[in-house]
Amino acid sequence: MEVLAFGVQADERPLIEAAFDGHHEVRCVGVFLDADTAAMAAGYEAISTSVNARLDAGVLQTLAVGGTAMIAQRSTGFNNIDLDVAERLGLTVARVSYYSPYSVAEFAWTLAMAVNRRIVRASNRTRDFDFRLDGLMGRDLRGRTVGVVGTGKIGEAFARIAHGFGMRLLGWDIAPNPACTELGMTYVPKEDLFAASDVISLHVPLLPATRHLIGADALRLMKDDAILVNSSRGGLIDSEALVTELRKGRFTGVGLDVYEAEAGLFFLDKSLEAVDDDTLARLVTFPNVVVTSHQAYYTTDAVTQIVDTTVANIDDWAAGRRSENVLVPAAPAPTV
């Protein structure tokens, strides 16, 4: 069987081709799946998509008409897929439930340290042979408080690094993680976490209940010199509310690897185009903000796990097997 893989980055291609070797033929294309590119999938029973694909009702209908029956997404998140429509069309949808949590946790700390120690500004200066230290003073992390919003596998990995720094740990989640509790984490209401934390990092999925979790009210609760990091999903933060607070001169730094309107921008070269997103354009101008293009997961270790799981998901579908990675069709209700 030949599989069409959308949105493949140059660094990913050899890893994808190696993973599929001996299993299925794979055709890798750099374009992302959306309404304009969905017709490319005609004749492919199985396709693989990236997190920035747009699988709305219209795209899913085009895929089904073209003969696609299986969608293997190369990510943990799936908020870009209309699962109800996929199920009505009889499509199977699978994701990657797990990959290296260290890739994202380590990158989240990279962002936190970059804004804390003014790394981008310092690097830009020294390229111009300006070696002054004015405006580059940061803070020790030891003894300060870190708030971990979402303490699953990635949040736990992030907390372990914070523990190594000697920080006080606060956490918020629907249920405590015993591993985090053993590290000394105290679980508190999210409002208390926002108010008390020197560093706040987001590690929850994007769901209706978490969209704009960090809105105007939450931002106002945070310390003026707090560091806010988001390496999870862009929609967790109300970007316009964040810009409003940044314009007041608040926050030591903000590190964003994701952005709520990143689809159609991230993973693409827009350097020669006029970007009409005024909010993003404003965000990247603040000297205390670092924006990266959804690269936290992008390590050889994590991508290898992602593509290996993607191949396994397609193998399982072809063999009629079901794993925990299958989102659609929904699992049958347990019998009593």
Side-chain angles (χ1 to χ4, degrees):
M1 176 173 59
E2 186 175 14
V3 178
L4 179 61
F6 284 94
V8 176
Q9 305 296 310
D11 296 332
E12 288 180 299
R13 184 167 187 151
L15 298 177
I16 290 175
E17 291 175 343
F20 273 88
D21 188 36
H23 293 265
H24 308 282
E25 299 271 338
V26 63
R27 177 190 172 200
C28 297
V29 294
V31 297
F32 295 97
L33 176 61
D34 58 23
D36 294 328
T37 61
M40 294 174 61
Y44 290 90
E45 286 185 85
I47 65 168
S48 177
T49 60
S50 67
V51 68
N52 268 7
R54 295 181 180 178
L55 288 99
D56 56 20
V59 169
L60 292 170
Q61 179 68 37
T62 299
L63 293 176
V65 170
T68 297
M70 198 279 172
I71 301 166
Q73 176 135 303
R74 301 188 306 278
S75 71
T76 299
F78 52 90
N79 53 284
N80 60 320
I81 308 173
D82 190 326
L83 297 180
D84 291 334
V85 172
E87 187 154 27
R88 287 201 300 271
L89 293 171
L91 298 171
T92 296
V93 180
R95 63 165 177 162
V96 177
S97 299
Y98 174 86
Y99 61 86
S100 169
Y102 311 108
S103 61
V104 179
E106 291 169 5
F107 193 83
W109 272 115
T110 300
L111 288 174
M113 295 301 293
V115 296
N116 179 36
R117 302 306 301 269
R118 313 292 199 265
I119 298 299
V120 175
R121 181 184 296 180
S123 177
N124 289 338
R125 278 188 187 177
T126 56
R127 288 173 66 89
D128 292 330
F129 294 94
D130 178 353
F131 300 104
R132 293 172 301 156
L133 297 181
D134 297 343
L136 301 183
M137 186 174 288
R139 297 179 293 175
D140 288 2
L141 293 178
R142 181 175 178 82
R144 287 191 159 82
T145 299
V146 61
V148 187
V149 180
T151 56
K153 293 182 176 67
I154 296 173
E156 178 188 333
F158 182 89
R160 289 189 181 279
I161 297 171
H163 183 260
F165 281 135
M167 302 184 76
R168 175 189 175 218
L169 304 178
L170 297 181
W172 178 79
D173 209 326
I174 56 174
N177 180 339
C180 291
T181 303
E182 289 179 11
L183 292 173
M185 177 177 285
T186 301
Y187 281 85
V188 296
K190 62 181 183 295
E191 293 79 10
D192 294 347
L193 182 150
F194 297 150
S197 298
D198 299 295
V199 178
I200 299 167
S201 191
L202 309 181
H203 301 287
V204 293
L206 180 60
L207 304 168
T210 59
R211 179 172 292 278
H212 288 182
L213 179 71
I214 307 300
D217 291 342
L219 290 164
R220 282 193 289 267
L221 287 172
M222 296 176 190
K223 296 180 179 181
D224 287 344
D225 61 356
I227 292 172
L228 174 63
V229 175
N230 187 9
S231 58
S232 184
R233 289 293 180 267
L236 298 176
I237 295 180
D238 182 337
S239 302
E240 292 186 10
L242 177 59
V243 167
T244 297
E245 296 304 308
L246 286 166
R247 291 181 65 181
K248 297 175 184 176
R250 300 190 63 217
F251 306 129
T252 289
V254 176
L256 303 174
D257 185 51
V258 288
Y259 174 64
E260 60 181 323
E262 68 182 56
L265 291 173
F266 282 19
F267 305 149
L268 299 171
D269 181 2
K270 297 290 185 177
S271 60
L272 299 179
E273 301 177 26
V275 175
D276 60 2
D277 188 322
D278 292 338
T279 302
L280 179 60
R282 189 69 181 93
L283 277 173
V284 300
T285 64
F286 288 106
N288 57 334
V289 174
V290 172
V291 178
T292 53
S293 54
H294 207 140
Q295 70 183 79
Y297 78 98
Y298 207 52
T299 67
T300 301
D301 311 78
V303 174
T304 297
Q305 287 179 290
I306 289 168
V307 297
D308 285 347
T309 301
T310 299
V311 172
N313 287 341
I314 295 172
D315 285 345
D316 286 344
W317 170 76
R321 297 187 298 263
R322 182 188 179 91
S323 74
E324 64 177 356
N325 296 322
V326 175
L327 300 167
V328 169
T335 57
V336 179

